[in-house]
Amino acid sequence: MFLSVIKDFCVKRILNNNLHNVKHSTSEQSVKTVGIIVDQSYFLETDKLINAIVKNGIPRDAIAILVFNDKQTKAATYPVIKHADLGWNAQVNGIMASDFLNKKFDLLISYYELDRGILLAATFHSKAHFKVGFAAIDKRYNDLIIQSKLSEVTVFIQEVFKYLKILNKI
């Protein structure tokens, strides 16, 4: 437990030092594929989130999810990222996590409010063209920040798609 706290602190420090190297997307391409990183420790309505995105015109098969849950469950519905997947150098090493992070999504939704090292590293290393997240997280990780609560799924998704329309991304 104590080592994981120290590791989390070290990873956050490494990522914060590397945030000046982040290149924000200037791509004008429209959103066709969506990646979602979810912290299931605090948000269990992942299907509700997917349904809200599908209602806005994104096909279900164009949505990929990576889930973090600090409590081990029997059978995971979605690919899982674990504390063990995170190295001390802020690199994500797990097979499922690496596959997800190497996909080039048009949009990445970081659906978490707590700044855990593993989730920040996943967002940082994602090859997504455009990243969206909550205002509670450091604003340098995402291209678009939405002020909302974690429990307000429909409000969050409505705001995301409202701004994507303004930016001509859908």
Side-chain angles (χ1 to χ4, degrees):
M1 175 67 182
F2 183 68
L3 269 177
S4 67
V5 172
I6 292 173
K7 185 179 187 181
D8 195 57
F9 175 77
C10 291
V11 166
K12 286 181 194 177
R13 190 167 180 192
I14 290 169
L15 290 173
N16 283 330
N17 289 336
N18 289 330
L19 279 174
H20 66 277
N21 295 332
V22 174
K23 295 178 183 175
H24 290 285
S25 172
T26 57
S27 172
E28 294 296 324
Q29 70 185 40
S30 64
V31 173
K32 294 183 178 85
T33 58
V34 177
I36 307 170
I37 300 174
V38 177
D39 183 358
Q40 277 195 338
S41 303
Y42 295 98
F43 180 74
L44 298 173
E45 299 175 351
T46 307
D47 291 329
K48 185 176 180 181
L49 178 63
I50 293 170
N51 291 335
I53 295 169
V54 168
K55 286 180 184 175
N56 282 287
I58 304 295
R60 188 179 279 293
D61 59 344
I63 300 171
I65 297 183
L66 183 64
V67 170
F68 170 77
N69 192 344
D70 55 357
K71 300 166 189 74
Q72 295 296 330
T73 57
K74 295 177 186 173
T77 309
Y78 303 108
V80 176
I81 189 169
K82 306 173 288 216
H83 280 292
D85 295 337
L86 183 64
W88 284 89
N89 58 355
Q91 293 294 334
V92 180
N93 302 320
I95 295 170
M96 284 189 264
S98 294
D99 289 345
F100 179 87
L101 297 177
N102 288 324
K103 290 182 185 174
K104 293 188 179 188
F105 297 108
D106 298 324
L107 174 66
L108 177 73
I109 298 175
S110 300
Y111 208 81
Y112 55 87
E113 286 183 322
L114 287 179
D115 59 343
R116 297 176 187 251
I118 186 79
L119 297 170
L120 295 175
T123 300
F124 181 80
H125 292 297
S126 172
K127 296 191 181 0
H129 296 289
F130 193 75
K131 299 176 183 178
V132 177
F134 283 93
I137 303 300
D138 189 338
K139 290 147 183 52
R140 297 175 292 175
Y141 285 96
N142 298 304
D143 301 311
L144 177 64
I145 306 297
I146 304 293
Q147 179 70 39
S148 177
K149 294 180 183 175
L150 199 63
S151 60
E152 298 174 339
V153 176
T154 53
V155 172
F156 180 84
I157 296 300
Q158 285 174 352
E159 289 295 310
V160 168
F161 280 91
K162 177 174 87 173
Y163 286 107
L164 288 176
K165 286 178 187 171
I166 291 170
L167 295 170
N168 292 325
K169 293 215 174 263
I170 54 171

